[in-house]
Amino acid sequence: MNIYDISEKTGVSTATVSRVLNRSANVSEKTRAKVLAAIEEYGYTPNVFARGLGLNTMKTVGIMCADSSDPYLARAVYYIEQELRKNNYDALLSCTGYKLENKAKSMTMMLSKRVDAVILVGSNYVEATDDKNDYIKKAAATVPVMVVNGILRHPNIYCTVCDDKSAIYEVTDSFIRCGRKNLLYLYNSTSFSAKAKLDGFRSAVKDSGSLIENEYAHYINSNNLTVHKVQEIVAELAEKGVKFDGVITSDDILAVGVVKYAKSAGIKIPDELYVAGYNNFDISECCDPELTTVNNKLENLCNQCVSTLMKVFADDRSVPKETVFSAEIIERDTTEFKIKKGS
Amino acid sequence: MNIYDISEKTGVSTATVSRVLNRSANVSEKTRAKVLAAIEEYGYTPNVFARGLGLNTMKTVGIMCADSSDPYLARAVYYIEQELRKNNYDALLSCTGYKLENKAKSMTMMLSKRVDAVILVGSNYVEATDDKNDYIKKAAATVPVMVVNGILRHPNIYCTVCDDKSAIYEVTDSFIRCGRKNLLYLYNSTSFSAKAKLDGFRSAVKDSGSLIENEYAHYINSNNLTVHKVQEIVAELAEKGVKFDGVITSDDILAVGVVKYAKSAGIKIPDELYVAGYNNFDISECCDPELTTVNNKLENLCNQCVSTLMKVFADDRSVPKETVFSAEIIERDTTEFKIKKGS
């Protein structure tokens, strides 16, 4: 929506629309009211002036994240805002929730604010059903879209991800090499990254041949999840006869719940049970014993995302469409990889 | 900076400035360049149009917080963004860090973006030395300023706080009533709220008369603080001869560090040592034994802050200048208030 559209919608000349916008005296009250009504109705914001002016940018980037109070997403928003600021860009934040409808609405809002680009934080923005990603692809026709920790292949969409699949593959493989025969995999998301992790677990199990006796992947709904809720769920699984001497998880909170369960059930960690988390959050160091977990290099991802965006803005020809970082396993007290591997 | 200022600075008539802004053909290249240069130089953004138009608002509120990856601040930003969105306002986020200079810069940036109000999240924005708050008071001459968890008395500044002093007073008093005679208070901030907490500790100690043998308040610098760093510091204090059978802290991370220290030193919690945290973060439930802590009603504070702001926007005469909420003590396994109180 620009000055020409407003002119067309109202039947008022662009010159007169300009005069209204500039509070010129030479406009009748009636015409003025008509133009302002159209501006309200069509959501025209004067920001478009900036583009029309040769001031080609509002120097504002939209950050969309499902829930900025989630510790992973909160850290990501922080890193991205800092990097944008260093490059003299402002951050317009929108916490969209996890519903597709609200994500799409939020994107429309961002575009109406004439942001210079949109950054989608968190792999939950990339849906497996491809038509659910249409609103992102459509947005990419207008501004560059950056995806942090998800891959969506489309023109003007740039992705930065952590290789979560390989990380979980490596963790699972280490469990198996250390003689763990009954593996339980717990996950609480069906996002792009969650799928990659599950895939890593399944691949490692498959590649292990007959070294494994039982393996079970269990999905836990992450709404209002607490460590005690996880503890209960694991106890129920055990009661139902699910056997495990190793539990691999897609998120630290799940792993802490397993540690709590083990304590209440008198199971010794790591002797009788190995546990691994994911994300290397604060809680992984706070629980007892402290968690073996995976550092997914979030700061690297966020910095790279902004640096790629700046290259896009600068029309740099060497912009990478996808950048992949490796995760790093942080071993603490809920596993004994090093000792067992060495022996 | 508005169209009249640009006219004055350039010596070009407002009509001509308007023509430049509207890309009218009837302007010489030289004049056009001059006006655009002035617009760049004086940081004039076309947003001012909105105000001049009778579209009196950009419907954008600036959120300033020191560090949105801090779990307390991250949750606050999330709650505030959600509430603003419900009221059809956008959130422009700025993570300012803790340095006064950068906070003031960030405020200037916010005002130049013509936000409708600024929300300062976290009590670190209110400095004890009053002239350090001048940039906030100055901003309040332009737009309403909301302070979350800090009190700054000045026209057009509205504050929502949690009564942290009473909460720590009550925790300390409970320790004393349960027979704890050697109290250590650990804190990691000198903010408005941190001062209130320390005050609460000191008042309770004072009011206890001769029931206490030793009390010691120790400040820990919070840069790059980890639970293990806290654990080390507490061990050093014990080595130096500081006696404690009760440790009260201003933040859960400090309390988790104390729990780690106790475990490594073979001290039994709660029999030999009481520990209390503050904030009721995830980590308070993840550590073992689980922490007694304080829920400071952050969601209430944030919702109230936005609802007050909406009243300010609506010119409601019944706007409260200060709103105070009570905190709630959450007792878990690092204390035994209930049993001891009842006996």
Side-chain angles (χ1 to χ4, degrees), chain A residues 158 307-321:
Chain A
Y158 301 85
S307 115
T308 300
L309 179 59
M310 293 305 136
K311 283 186 179 171
V312 173
F313 285 156
D315 254 336
D316 187 325
R317 296 286 164 101
S318 66
V319 179
K321 284 282 289 175

Side-chain angles (χ1 to χ4, degrees), chain B residues 4-281:
Chain B
Y4 303 101
D5 298 322
I6 294 289
S7 163
E8 206 185 302
K9 299 283 177 197
T10 53
V12 170
S13 73
T14 53
T16 306
V17 173
S18 291
R19 279 199 293 275
V20 172
L21 290 169
N22 291 295
R23 300 194 298 179
S24 163
N26 300 327
V27 186
S28 75
E29 259 320 297
K30 200 176 147 190
T31 304
R32 191 180 132 82
K34 200 191 220 175
V35 170
L36 289 180
I39 285 171
E40 286 270 31
E41 186 179 349
Y42 298 106
Y44 170 83
T45 69
N47 291 359
V48 277
F49 272 112
R51 295 177 178 276
L53 275 176
L55 296 172
N56 262 318
T57 163
M58 288 304 289
K59 289 267 186 185
T60 301
V61 172
I63 301 179
M64 286 168 58
C65 79
D67 171 357
S68 69
S69 74
D70 172 284
Y72 179 89
L73 300 177
R75 284 201 290 179
V77 169
Y78 174 71
Y79 295 136
I80 291 169
E81 196 276 346
Q82 295 292 87
E83 285 302 301
L84 287 174
R85 186 74 58 207
K86 275 186 209 158
N87 288 284
N88 295 313
Y89 279 80
D90 292 324
L92 192 65
L93 176 68
S94 177
C95 303
T96 65
Y98 292 93
K99 280 189 196 152
L100 181 62
E101 185 198 339
N102 294 334
K103 289 174 181 173
K105 250 190 216 165
S106 192
M107 180 66 91
T108 306
M109 180 282 291
M110 284 287 180
L111 297 180
S112 79
K113 303 288 165 183
R114 304 281 158 167
V115 292
D116 296 296
V118 173
I119 300 179
L120 303 176
V121 181
S123 63
N124 58 75
Y125 282 99
V126 180
E127 302 272 353
T129 330
D130 206 40
D131 62 353
K132 289 187 180 166
N133 298 318
D134 277 351
Y135 77 99
I136 303 176
K137 294 177 182 172
K138 242 167 120 181
T142 315
V143 293
V145 174
M146 315 303 289
V147 182
V148 176
N149 220 19
I151 298 268
L152 187 59
R153 296 201 169 109
H154 194 77
N156 214 23
I157 298 182
Y158 302 85
C159 305
T160 316
V161 296
C162 174
D163 185 359
D164 296 315
K165 179 180 169 177
S166 296
I168 288 287
Y169 184 99
E170 202 186 323
V171 170
T172 308
D173 187 58
S174 299
F175 273 48
I176 297 168
R177 283 171 189 275
C178 292
R180 302 289 138 167
K181 292 189 186 314
N182 298 289
L183 298 186
L184 172 61
Y185 180 72
L186 296 178
Y187 60 111
N188 62 345
S189 160
T190 55
S191 71
F192 176 89
S193 145
K195 284 201 184 69
K197 291 176 191 169
L198 182 55
D199 216 19
F201 172 72
R202 294 225 159 106
S203 300
V205 165
K206 202 177 149 207
D207 292 353
S208 72
S210 60
L211 290 170
I212 284 193
E213 286 166 12
N214 297 291
E215 52 95 4
Y216 187 68
H218 184 75
Y219 172 74
I220 297 178
N221 190 306
S222 67
N223 282 342
N224 298 316
L225 199 61
T226 65
V227 287
H228 293 294
K229 180 76 193 150
V230 176
Q231 179 182 345
E232 270 173 39
I233 291 169
V234 176
E236 280 164 22
L237 288 173
E239 254 173 54
K240 279 186 198 156
V242 175
K243 283 181 69 180
F244 47 87
D245 54 10
V247 184
I248 295 148
T249 67
S250 67
D251 192 298
D252 286 334
I253 195 170
L254 302 175
V256 175
V258 175
V259 169
K260 297 252 166 205
Y261 159 75
K263 198 193 171 191
S264 69
I267 297 167
K268 278 182 198 133
I269 295 175
D271 292 350
E272 299 165 357
L273 179 66
Y274 272 24
V275 184
Y278 208 99
N279 281 334
N280 194 28
F281 286 152

Side-chain angles (χ1 to χ4, degrees), chain A residues 22-23 52 90 113 260 290, chain B residues 22-23 52 90 113 290:
Chain A
N22 291 297
R23 300 194 298 178
D90 291 325
K113 302 289 164 182
K260 297 253 166 204
E290 295 180 13
Chain B
N22 291 295
R23 300 194 298 179
D90 292 324
K113 303 288 165 183
E290 296 181 14

